[in-house]
Amino acid sequence: MSQKGPFPVDVEAGKSYFWCACGRSENQPFCDGPHKATDFAQVKFEAPDSKRVFFWGCKHSAAPVTCDGTLNRL
Ligand code: FES
């Protein structure tokens, strides 16, 4: 399920993550497959550094993966 707040995740440098764009994944913020029944597809994020990243949960941001404040205007 999508949510208004971002999902904080500690990512590892060089590792790839697949963010859920459709909101149907049971493993938010990551894709687990049910987007296949929609027009959406997962978005790949490659972590440049090991750090905490805020994957957005509202599914309305203009900048995929990162939280850009759009959720504050919902
Ligand atoms: Fe949402 Fe894959 S389950 S994009």
Side-chain angles (χ1 to χ4, degrees):
M1 297 293 288
S2 60
Q3 66 177 29
K4 275 192 158 186
F7 292 92
V9 177
D10 293 323
V11 299
E12 294 178 37
K15 191 172 174 184
S16 295
Y17 299 83
F18 294 90
W19 175 81
C20 170
C22 74
R24 291 185 168 199
S25 173
E26 296 288 332
N27 186 35
Q28 293 293 333
F30 303 116
C31 172
D32 67 358
H35 67 264
K36 292 173 183 158
T38 74
D39 292 331
F40 293 92
Q42 70 275 40
V43 178
K44 185 178 181 180
F45 171 77
E46 292 183 20
D49 304 301
S50 294
K51 63 181 180 181
R52 178 159 292 183
V53 171
F54 293 89
F55 288 92
W56 54 271
C58 66
K59 315 300 181 188
H60 288 272
S61 174
V65 178
T66 57
C67 182
D68 70 355
T70 298
L71 61 94
N72 293 324
R73 295 188 294 274
L74 292 177

